[in-house]
Amino acid sequence: MTTLLRNIGELVTNDPRWGDRCGILHDAAIEWADGIVTWVGADSEVTERMNGGTEVLDALGRAVIPGFIDSHTHLAFAGERSLEFASRMAGKPYSAGGIATTVAATRAASDDELRDLLRDRVAEMRAQGTTTVEIKTGYGLTIEHEVRLAKIAREFTEYVTFLGAHVVPDEYRGNEDAYVDLVCTEMLDAVSPFVTAIDVFCEDGAFSVEQSERILAAGTERGLRTHIHAAQLGPSKSVQMAVSHGVASVDHGTFLSDADIRALAESDTVLTLLPGSDFSTGQPYPDARRLVDAGVTVALATNCNPGSSYTSSMAFCIAIAVREMGMTPTEALWAATQGGANALGSTILGNFGIGSSANVVELDAPNHIHLAYRPGVNLVRRVWS
Ligand code: NIG
């Protein structure tokens, strides 16, 4: 079926043929058929395109944007860690160690319990305008449990990332390299059929730069895209290592050196900023203004997980990026849509180019600035995808 959404006050296309960064059109319309964008243009041209079989919808002057691409989440978990959050707010620092609590709860959950949790979380995201979500494994940490998480996550998205290297599980304490061996061989072999990418948490208390490099290399050998959690809790040599490796994205990047920023700016690697984690761990926010000005390609994502960032709201991340990190509302929206698509390696997501996926979100607002201007308010009115 062909659908035509007309009378759009502001249409954000992220299509460079319409000009500035977000390719914004006013008094516009968009048409799609079978989930693919077939036409974008001025509302005054709409009558020429209408025929008997076209479903015509009226946006009543509202803003329409591409669905958010949440390119970094840890949605496949059971349990919650609100007490840990409360003690952080009372001054205790975040540490990688809390992950073990969620590993225990996740291992104890049945397949159906995990499936129900994921279904609810993906629905919660969709209601807030997220039409594509990446989901990491990482709360299983045995072959059996990592495969189980990957398979269940695959029921909800095509973007599943293997994060067997999230932390070293308790059973391998003191024998960390043996766990890295397992991740790079048998665990990776078993999980590979269900995932498109591999990730590693490179940080004190998780994996070293050398261990992370081995893990990325093992993923690349199997043809997986590579991502890394880097410079989240402190400066690290991991950023430049990962850029030379050619990772699709470096994620977090809260503590970057000038050399890290140069390396990122000169590469095709996307830097995925996760302001929800800096909010929830009480860390400083990265200076996104400096990153964008240096020419780094920036994405924004929620990092939804029970430890460091229990939010599913991309609009919340946009609001922080604008208020605290120096991005303009337009840059932040691009990062939350096209930036995320770039991190996932998709050209047909995150924009309304002809032939792109018709993931269309109508806002209860006249323009996209309201996403930051009205923090904490879900402005999403209708979603098509
Ligand atoms: O991206 N850094 C590693 N993983 C998550 C935290 C997971 C947790 O604390 O449970 C993150 O912040």
Side-chain angles (χ1 to χ4, degrees):
M1 177 171 67
T2 300
T3 302
L4 189 54
L5 179 60
R6 64 171 307 183
N7 198 11
I8 299 170
E10 179 190 88
L11 178 64
V12 175
T13 67
N14 287 341
D15 182 346
R17 92 191 146 109
W18 299 112
D20 65 359
R21 178 179 272 265
C22 271
I24 294 175
L25 296 175
H26 297 280
D27 303 318
I30 180 169
E31 178 195 82
W32 66 90
D34 302 323
I36 304 292
V37 176
T38 46
W39 177 81
V40 166
D43 191 68
S44 55
E45 294 166 29
V46 152
T47 25
E48 292 157 33
R49 298 198 65 84
M50 284 178 0
N51 63 53
T54 302
E55 175 192 36
V56 182
L57 304 170
D58 192 334
L60 298 172
R62 299 186 183 97
V64 170
I65 62 171
F68 296 125
I69 311 289
D70 196 345
S71 61
H72 181 134
T73 84
H74 302 256
L75 284 195
F77 68 87
E80 56 91 35
R81 282 156 45 205
S82 51
L83 295 181
E84 205 187 286
F85 172 78
S87 65
R88 275 204 303 279
M89 295 305 107
K92 197 169 172 236
Y94 172 80
S95 87
I99 293 170
T101 310
T102 302
V103 170
T106 305
R107 286 180 184 174
S110 71
D111 290 3
D112 280 342
E113 282 165 347
L114 285 171
R115 209 168 263 126
D116 288 347
L117 288 166
L118 266 174
R119 188 175 300 108
D120 287 352
R121 290 175 189 141
V122 170
E124 179 179 292
M125 289 177 153
R126 185 181 162 85
Q128 298 172 91
T130 297
T131 50
T132 304
V133 62
E134 179 261 13
I135 301 177
K136 298 178 199 301
T137 68
Y139 290 119
L141 309 186
T142 63
I143 296 178
E144 179 202 342
H145 284 285
E146 284 294 302
V147 169
R148 179 170 88 113
L149 293 181
K151 279 184 173 168
I152 295 174
R154 193 71 190 76
E155 294 171 24
F156 297 92
T157 182
E158 68 184 88
Y159 296 99
V160 180
T161 302
F162 171 47
L163 182 59
H166 200 182
V167 283
V168 175
D170 287 344
E171 41 297 9
Y172 279 85
R173 283 283 159 218
N175 202 4
E176 284 79 7
D177 282 330
Y179 183 66
V180 175
D181 291 342
L182 178 74
V183 167
C184 292
T185 55
E186 280 171 75
M187 197 183 277
L188 181 53
D189 287 337
V191 174
S192 284
F194 312 104
V195 302
T196 50
I198 190 168
D199 197 342
V200 51
F201 181 19
C202 185
E203 200 75 56
D204 286 350
F207 295 88
S208 69
V209 176
E210 293 70 29
Q211 290 168 333
S212 301
E213 197 166 10
R214 276 190 62 202
I215 289 158
L216 294 175
T220 300
E221 257 174 45
R222 306 268 192 315
L224 299 178
R225 289 172 66 73
T226 50
H227 304 277
I228 187 168
H229 290 59
Q232 173 182 4
L233 304 176
S236 164
K237 294 199 167 63
S238 55
V239 177
Q240 289 171 64
M241 176 280 287
V243 170
S244 348
H245 181 86
V247 293
S249 71
V250 165
D251 298 39
H252 284 287
T254 300
F255 296 90
L256 295 177
S257 67
D258 289 346
D260 293 339
I261 295 174
R262 261 196 313 279
L264 284 162
E266 288 165 9
S267 74
D268 292 331
T269 298
V270 174
L271 176 66
T272 303
L273 298 176
L274 307 166
S277 3
D278 303 312
F279 174 88
S280 173
T281 58
Q283 298 208 119
Y285 293 109
D287 184 351
R289 177 76 271 129
R290 180 164 161 238
L291 295 163
V292 172
D293 288 346
V296 176
T297 302
V298 172
L300 285 170
T302 63
N303 189 21
C304 186
N305 77 77
S308 68
S309 181
Y310 202 175
T311 181
S312 54
S313 169
M314 290 292 283
F316 172 65
C317 297
I318 288 175
I320 299 179
V322 171
R323 173 64 181 84
E324 302 289 342
M325 293 158 59
M327 294 181 103
T328 66
T330 309
E331 287 165 344
L333 177 57
W334 187 93
T337 50
Q338 188 65 66
N342 289 2
L344 297 181
S346 171
T347 51
I348 59 162
L349 292 175
N351 65 74
F352 292 144
I354 305 305
S356 288
S357 294
N359 298 324
V360 181
V361 171
E362 181 189 63
L363 300 178
D364 220 338
N367 63 50
H368 69 283
I369 299 168
H370 281 233
L371 290 166
Y373 171 54
R374 303 198 63 209
V377 180
N378 181 14
L379 295 173
V380 172
R381 191 165 183 280
R382 289 189 285 186
V383 178
W384 297 267
S385 67

